[in-house]
Amino acid sequence: MNEQQTEKQEDIIKMFNDIAKTYDLANRVLSMGIDKTWRRSACNLAYNFYGKSSLDKIVDVACGTGDLMIDWEAIAKKNSIEITDIIGVDPSVGMMEVGKTKIPHRTFIEAGAESMPLDDESADIISISYGIRNVVQRKEGLQEFARVLKKGGLCVILEFTKNDKHDFPAKLTKFYMNELMPHIGGLVSKNKDAYTYLPESIESFITTKQMCEELKSVGLEPIFVKGYSLDMSTTFIARKI
Ligand SMILES: C[S@@+](CC[C@H](N)C(=O)[O-])C[C@H]1O[C@@H](n2cnc3c(N)ncnc32)[C@H](O)[C@@H]1O
């Protein structure tokens, strides 16, 4: 990582440390609770695609306050799927501290997606919800996912990708994200900068099509790609070939 990238990545981590305590509340308010359905639907789909009733390990990268880890666990239980370990990885200690209060029985590791202290081919599923946009070294991050996944394992990504359409739904979601979100998020978190960063980071992020290309380039073959809620959030499921 060069100096500029290091500084950018450190600023992002600091920002999440700063908003950690209000992060969950802001999420619920800003998405009106819909973010929960996006995560749960991804878990259900992934378990169906994987088709096994016993898994060794799920790694949730950019786990933040642990919401997706909670969903992996609850939905596995509902479907009688056994999972030996669900591990959270995130470079923000503040976010993981909140997560640890919600799921104290789980393991959290302080690390970035681009360099994870995990064995080769050890995970059945690697997930990252609303995190890949914050990984400055994205290519290295995706390569890490491919390294740590077992052959046939699944990479599950939920993200707000850049919308290059100019139709009415695209204008509506952009208005919400650019004009309303910074004010509402700012009020809840008392940190308007963090919720101004959100639409800016989406605008400078890649499109759904580009994400599929990047996944393929590291040996992760997309098997499911779908936009939810006027394409605001996109779910990608890719299989390690
Ligand atoms: C928007 S939050 C998402 C948290 C959680 N996955 C969720 O769905 O609510 C983004 C997370 O990405 C983490 N993050 C930032 N840079 C990262 C990196 N290089 N590798 C992994 N996670 C990173 C932040 O610390 C933060 O917890």
Side-chain angles (χ1 to χ4, degrees):
M1 221 185 304
N2 64 35
E3 213 175 294
Q4 207 184 349
Q5 287 177 317
T6 306
E7 200 177 311
K8 188 176 173 193
Q9 186 65 80
E10 281 173 1
D11 284 350
I12 292 172
I13 297 164
K14 183 185 176 302
M15 184 189 78
F16 281 104
N17 279 329
D18 289 345
I19 60 167
K21 289 205 167 75
T22 53
Y23 175 83
D24 284 349
L25 176 63
N27 257 4
R28 295 300 101 78
V29 173
L30 289 171
S31 81
M32 290 168 268
I34 299 171
D35 63 305
K36 279 182 177 285
T37 67
W38 296 333
R39 286 193 199 80
R40 285 177 191 157
S41 149
C43 294
N44 274 310
L45 282 161
Y47 284 139
N48 277 335
F49 277 117
Y50 202 51
K52 292 189 183 172
S53 57
S54 170
L55 281 67
D56 293 323
K57 197 187 281 178
I58 295 181
V59 180
D60 185 37
V61 184
C63 64
T65 60
D67 277 2
L68 189 54
M69 295 166 73
I70 293 170
D71 290 335
W72 282 126
E73 184 174 309
I75 294 166
K77 205 170 171 192
K78 223 187 239 175
N79 292 286
S80 306
I81 296 170
E82 278 180 34
I83 306 163
T84 308
D85 223 351
I86 300 176
I87 294 174
V89 173
D90 199 295
S92 162
V93 172
M95 292 288 275
M96 288 192 295
E97 261 165 19
V98 177
K100 281 178 197 167
T101 64
K102 290 153 69 178
I103 32 172
H105 57 294
R106 292 291 172 205
T107 305
F108 289 83
I109 299 173
E110 182 188 348
E114 61 287 340
S115 171
M116 301 191 288
L118 298 169
D119 292 339
D120 292 358
E121 311 212 334
S122 58
D124 295 276
I125 295 176
I126 293 189
S127 57
I128 180 162
S129 58
Y130 314 106
I132 195 71
R133 205 173 2 97
N134 302 300
V135 180
V136 173
Q137 288 185 294
R138 186 175 61 247
K139 177 97 185 185
E140 286 79 355
L142 295 177
Q143 278 166 345
E144 272 292 82
F145 296 173
R147 177 185 70 77
V148 173
L149 272 176
K150 293 179 185 176
K151 226 177 189 170
L154 299 182
C155 169
V156 180
I157 300 178
L158 281 77
E159 195 48 275
F160 304 120
T161 52
K162 182 184 167 80
N163 190 341
D164 52 4
K165 291 186 194 144
H166 299 283
D167 53 10
F168 179 68
K171 282 185 182 148
L172 194 68
T173 54
K174 274 185 192 167
F175 173 75
Y176 178 65
M177 287 193 161
N178 292 323
E179 308 299 331
L180 299 181
M181 247 187 197
H183 297 291
I184 305 169
L187 269 178
V188 178
S189 68
K190 311 268 182 292
N191 186 332
K192 196 173 173 195
D193 286 352
Y195 289 90
T196 306
Y197 161 80
L198 179 62
E200 284 172 2
S201 67
I202 298 168
E203 207 47 43
S204 58
F205 193 56
I206 53 175
T207 62
T208 293
K209 198 167 160 240
Q210 288 167 328
M211 176 59 88
C212 289
E213 293 307 319
E214 290 198 4
L215 284 165
K216 281 184 204 164
S217 75
V218 298
L220 299 172
E221 189 59 36
I223 54 171
F224 177 90
V225 180
K226 187 177 172 198
Y228 290 82
S229 311
L230 302 178
D231 286 342
M232 201 183 265
S233 175
T234 302
T235 296
F236 303 82
I237 301 180
R239 197 188 297 277
K240 178 174 170 179
I241 46 175

